Amino acid sequence: MSLEELHSIFSVFALPIFDLSSNILRRTSRMADWTECMNYGIHIAREAREVILHAFRIKKAVMLKSSPADLVTETDQRVERMLISAIKAKYPHHKFIGEESVAAGEKLILTDSPTWIIDPIDGTANFVHRFPFVAISIAFAVNKQTEFGIVYSCIEDKLYSAQRGRGAFCNDIPLATSGQEDITKCLLVTEIGAERDQLALATMTSNIHRLLEIPVHGIRAVGTAAVDMCLISTGGADAYYHIGMHCWDIAASALIVSEAGGVVIDTNGSEFDMMARRVIAASSMSVARRIAQAIQAFPCERDDDPRAHPQKAQIEHSTDSGNDVHKKAGGHRRL
Ligand SMILES: O=P(O)(O)O[C@H]1[C@H](O)[C@@H](O)[C@H](O)[C@@H](O)[C@@H]1O
Ligand SMILES: [Mg+2]
Ligand SMILES: [Mg+2]
């Protein structure tokens, strides 16, 4: 019998006991210490990094998902399977939202249950091209609130982490944003994303144009949303904005930014919603609001919209990364 069916029976008898028990769950989760869970997450991220470092150097089979720029490799899929099976072995009742599981057709539903939100390789296009910014992103949410976040920038060997209410760190060194409040003194980061339709491209380029003419000091794109946002937490950049990314790209780094003293809001200026596929992370609210005022968003299906279509990986060739490229039967290119 599902929790909802149980709730409906108890509520018919107006038994307060059930409400009491769900309140107890909420209160205990608030009091719960998820440190042990986070340390386990860090442990398996370190193991996953070894797989990524090995694969980074060798030829790759590359597949396409939602667009010719939305790449996935067997390593993305293998690392996600490895992380999820390691977590299931220790926490069998926990739930998962994994980028490649969703791409393979799993439903994306965030409940109040303890849930791991995983991007096995954030920056897959970088990984394919051996552009050295490739991250593992692991967030952990209870009652739909992120309790800890881990972003491991694998090639740089920078492990960013934060637990709600306990600060943000990179390789155990405390992090703090720049605190910059003057937009004209800001270095921004953003992402072009995988969208290649005319509306998205026009919106992205006009946003860059409008921000540059404020003026701001500059705009960068590292190629991984997770690392982009961690740069805000280090003070190495002052603000990040992006439309079109997914919850797994930023759930962990959103907590890392806020625990480093930054602000994270929706591009429309409202409260951040990790499923809305829009984010501004900044050193201060004044900078965040100034960016929200300057940019426009293009329409994106929410991640948790049941109509959102999984982007099944199509066996296809992909970009020629300048490595040895040779065709395989079935149009499958190895890079
Ligand atoms: O590399 P993935 O996990 O697919 O995430 C990236 C996304 O695909 C790109 O479109 C964005 O530009 C990057 O910022 C994401 O990190
Ligand atoms: Mg990603
Ligand atoms: Mg990914």
Side-chain angles (χ1 to χ4, degrees):
M1 180 179 293
S2 75
L3 209 57
E4 290 70 18
E5 287 163 341
L6 204 60
H7 191 281
S8 59
I9 293 169
F10 279 123
S11 54
V12 164
F13 296 104
L15 281 183
I17 187 73
F18 193 80
D19 292 339
L20 182 64
S21 61
S22 53
N23 287 335
I24 289 171
L25 177 69
R26 287 184 186 285
R27 245 202 317 281
T28 44
S29 72
R30 267 201 299 276
M31 292 176 335
D33 182 329
W34 300 106
T35 306
E36 193 253 4
C37 256
M38 185 172 80
N39 290 339
Y40 187 66
I42 289 172
H43 168 69
I44 58 175
R46 291 190 189 284
E47 289 185 336
R49 173 179 179 250
E50 294 310 312
V51 173
I52 291 170
L53 288 184
H54 171 72
F56 186 77
R57 296 185 283 269
I58 62 174
K59 288 186 174 64
K60 301 167 183 70
V62 184
M63 296 167 273
L64 306 184
K65 293 193 290 189
S66 63
S67 84
D70 190 6
L71 313 184
V72 62
T73 70
E74 289 153 340
T75 306
D76 295 75
Q77 295 164 339
R78 178 182 165 202
V79 167
E80 184 166 313
R81 285 195 300 271
M82 176 182 160
L83 292 169
I84 290 177
S85 59
I87 296 165
K88 276 184 178 169
K90 193 168 174 66
Y91 305 107
H93 303 297
H94 286 187
K95 307 287 184 205
F96 300 90
I97 294 173
E99 176 181 10
E100 307 314 337
S101 306
V102 171
E106 265 193 31
K107 283 286 164 236
L108 194 166
I109 304 166
L110 181 61
T111 65
D112 286 347
S113 302
T115 304
W116 298 71
I117 303 168
I118 295 172
D119 187 342
I121 296 183
D122 190 47
T124 299
N126 291 352
F127 175 67
V128 166
H129 288 268
R130 299 188 182 92
F131 185 76
F133 295 93
V134 172
I136 300 164
S137 181
I138 300 172
F140 178 74
V142 180
N143 294 327
K144 301 188 180 71
Q145 183 165 51
T146 307
E147 290 295 340
F148 64 75
I150 301 162
V151 172
Y152 201 163
S153 181
C154 298
I155 315 303
E156 294 182 284
D157 193 13
K158 289 185 175 177
L159 193 142
Y160 297 91
S161 65
Q163 200 173 351
R164 191 161 61 86
R166 302 189 186 185
F169 302 85
C170 178
N171 295 349
D172 298 324
I173 296 167
L175 293 173
T177 64
S178 66
Q180 182 57 257
E181 299 199 355
D182 179 348
I183 184 82
T184 66
K185 295 187 174 64
C186 282
L187 180 64
L188 308 186
V189 271
T190 188
E191 283 296 327
I192 303 306
E195 293 76 16
R196 291 297 179 268
D197 63 276
Q198 287 309 307
L199 176 59
L201 294 178
T203 307
M204 280 185 261
T205 47
S206 65
N207 284 342
I208 289 171
H209 186 109
R210 270 200 287 275
L211 288 165
L212 287 174
E213 66 180 357
I214 289 177
V216 295
H217 280 175
I219 300 181
R220 306 283 185 269
V222 171
T224 139
V227 172
D228 288 328
M229 284 182 61
C230 286
L231 288 169
I232 311 306
S233 69
T234 70
D238 304 297
Y240 170 75
Y241 72 95
H242 192 173
I243 298 122
M245 77 289 153
H246 295 280
C247 58
W248 44 75
D249 292 316
I250 57 163
S253 47
L255 181 68
I256 291 168
V257 169
S258 52
E259 286 297 322
V263 297
V264 185
I265 62 171
D266 191 301
T267 53
N268 62 17
S270 65
E271 191 181 342
F272 171 59
D273 170 357
M274 75 162 88
M275 296 296 170
R277 300 185 60 197
R278 301 185 305 259
V279 69
I280 296 172
S283 51
S284 65
M285 188 54 88
S286 58
V287 164
R289 286 196 174 126
R290 183 65 185 81
I291 293 171
Q293 191 187 12
I295 66 172
Q296 291 177 341
F298 51 85
C300 287
E301 279 176 334
R302 286 178 59 88
D303 270 334
D304 54 1
D305 181 337
R307 293 161 303 173
H309 305 293
Q311 314 301 349
K312 275 193 180 304
Q314 307 298 329
I315 298 289
E316 248 293 336
H317 70 78
S318 174
T319 48
D320 171 350
S321 65
N323 298 314
D324 307 331
V325 177
H326 50 89
K327 274 198 171 200
K328 250 183 79 84
H332 195 130
R333 273 191 182 187
R334 286 198 172 278
L335 294 179

